[in-house]
Amino acid sequence: MTAAQVKPETSEANLAALVEFVECHPRLAVLGGAGISTASGIPDYRDAAGEWKRSPPMEHRQFMGSHAARQRYWARALVGFRTLDEARPNAAHQALARLESLGHVRGMITQNVDGLHQRAGSRRVIDLHGRADRVRCMGCGSSRMRHALHAELESLNPRWTALGAAAAPDGDADLEADFSAFRVPDCSRCGDGIWKPDVVFFGDSVPRGVVERAFALIEECDALLVVGSSMMVYSGFRFARAAARQGKPIACLNLGRTRADDLYTLKVAAPVDASLGALVERLEARLAEGSLNRRPA
C-alpha cells in the first residue's frame, strides 16, 4: 500500500476526498480517538506531533500497588471528573451517529472512555478502553455507577468538593496538594476490595472479548476510517495494521502526525467536527438529489 495522499487545508478538497472515500466503501469501520471529544471540552493527551502534552496517565500497577497513588487519583478525580460528566456530544459525535443511521458506518471502535458516541445516538460502539462512568471492585468484581462512588467520596472528604483545578484528560485534574488525609472507601461487598474505574489504564490489557469484537468489525468491513487519533497507543494501532494486512483502504481525518501515517491511502488534515459535519451534509444532499432523480415524471 502506498503512502497516504495528504490533502491540503482547502475545505472543498478535504470534503470531496472524504465524500469519495465514504461513497466508494459503503461498509466502513471507524476507529476514533481523543480528537473527536476535544470540542466537547475534554482535553487530550498528545500534541500535533503525537508527543505527550503532559505527564503520562496513571499506570495500572501504580494504582493497584500504592494506597497513596489511589488517594491522589481519587482526590483529583473528585475535581476533574465534573468536566467529563458534564460533557455533551459535539458535531463530530453527531455526524458519526448520522453516518451509521444512513448506512455508511457498520460500527465504531472508540479509544475514548466518555460514552459520548452512545449519547449522540451511535448504536454499534466498541468501547476499547472501557467506560469512565462505571467503577469495578478489583477484588470481587462487583460494579457500580461512578457517580455513586463520587457521592461517597464527597461525604468522606467534604472540604475537597469546593476545590477547583484545570481539567485534564479522562476525568483527571491538574491538582497538587497533600493527599495523605484523603479517605478512599473499600468495596462494601467484599470488605477490602479496591475500587477502580472500569477503564483500561496504561499497563492494563484490553479484555479479550473486546479485542475479538473489534477485529471482527475490521474483518466484516471493506475500509477503515481513522478519526481524531494519533494512533500512538498500540491497542488502537493494531486495528489499522490488521486492516492494512487485509488490503483494506484506510483514510484518516486528524490534525497532526500519527503512528500509522504510512498505512493510509488518504489523510485529511482538517478539524474533525467541521469536516464530519460537512461530510454528512454533502452525503444527505446527494441522497436527496438521487431520490428526486428517481421520481417518475
Side-chain angles (χ1 to χ4, degrees):
M1 188 174 296
T2 59
Q5 178 186 3
V6 180
K7 292 293 180 181
E9 295 283 354
T10 304
S11 59
E12 183 56 37
N14 288 336
L15 184 56
L18 286 171
V19 169
E20 180 181 4
F21 186 84
V22 172
E23 290 188 328
C24 287
H25 307 101
R27 297 181 302 167
L28 279 178
V30 177
L31 175 60
I36 294 176
S37 291
T38 52
S40 294
I42 301 175
D44 55 1
Y45 285 109
R46 297 181 185 272
D47 59 22
E51 302 296 334
W52 292 107
K53 292 181 180 179
R54 52 189 298 111
S55 299
M58 179 74 71
E59 293 190 357
H60 178 81
R61 182 172 59 180
Q62 181 185 13
F63 183 89
M64 294 300 300
S66 169
H67 179 68
R70 294 192 293 275
Q71 287 177 303
R72 181 178 184 272
Y73 179 89
W74 286 116
R76 289 165 61 112
L78 196 56
V79 177
F81 190 72
R82 300 167 192 161
T83 297
L84 199 67
D85 192 42
E86 295 170 1
R88 295 295 178 266
N90 62 55
H93 300 103
Q94 293 162 356
L96 288 167
R98 182 60 177 152
L99 286 173
E100 182 183 23
S101 69
L102 290 171
H104 294 292
V105 170
R106 282 293 187 92
M108 172 95 196
I109 304 167
T110 179
Q111 298 171 85
N112 299 339
V113 297
D114 50 41
L116 292 179
H117 288 293
Q118 290 89 336
R119 291 195 209 178
S122 290
R123 300 177 64 85
R124 188 180 183 186
V125 180
I126 298 171
D127 293 301
L128 189 64
H129 296 153
R131 286 283 294 272
D133 57 358
R134 296 189 291 261
V135 294
R136 184 172 300 277
C137 173
M138 302 304 289
C140 66
S142 62
S143 63
R144 65 196 293 201
M145 297 306 294
R146 184 163 177 163
H147 65 76
L149 177 61
H150 278 233
E152 190 175 356
L153 289 167
E154 290 176 2
S155 176
L156 292 171
N157 306 278
R159 77 175 185 86
W160 291 83
T161 61
L163 297 179
D170 294 340
D172 193 12
D174 289 323
L175 177 67
E176 296 300 336
D178 179 2
F179 302 110
S180 61
F182 191 85
R183 298 175 63 189
V184 180
D186 294 324
C187 173
S188 59
R189 179 176 176 180
C190 64
D192 60 357
I194 294 172
W195 287 115
K196 175 182 173 292
D198 199 8
V199 302
V200 178
F201 280 8
F202 272 66
D204 261 344
S205 296
V206 178
R208 175 181 290 183
V210 176
V211 175
E212 289 175 349
R213 286 193 293 124
F215 275 126
L217 176 61
I218 297 297
E219 183 73 29
E220 73 181 66
C221 292
D222 53 23
L224 175 65
L225 175 62
V226 176
V227 182
S229 177
S230 67
M231 305 291 285
M232 293 300 174
V233 178
Y234 178 75
S235 63
F237 174 65
R238 59 181 153 183
F239 300 111
R241 290 210 312 180
R245 283 197 302 269
Q246 296 169 27
K248 296 180 177 180
I250 308 173
C252 175
L253 173 58
N254 187 69
L255 286 170
R257 183 176 72 90
T258 85
R259 184 180 181 181
D261 279 349
D262 62 339
L263 300 181
Y264 306 138
T265 52
L266 168 70
K267 183 176 182 184
V268 173
V272 168
D273 51 347
S275 298
L276 288 176
L279 169 65
V280 169
E281 288 181 3
R282 182 65 61 87
L283 290 169
E284 288 180 326
R286 291 195 177 192
L287 182 63
E289 181 181 342
S291 297
L292 287 172
N293 291 337
R294 286 193 296 271
R295 290 181 180 177

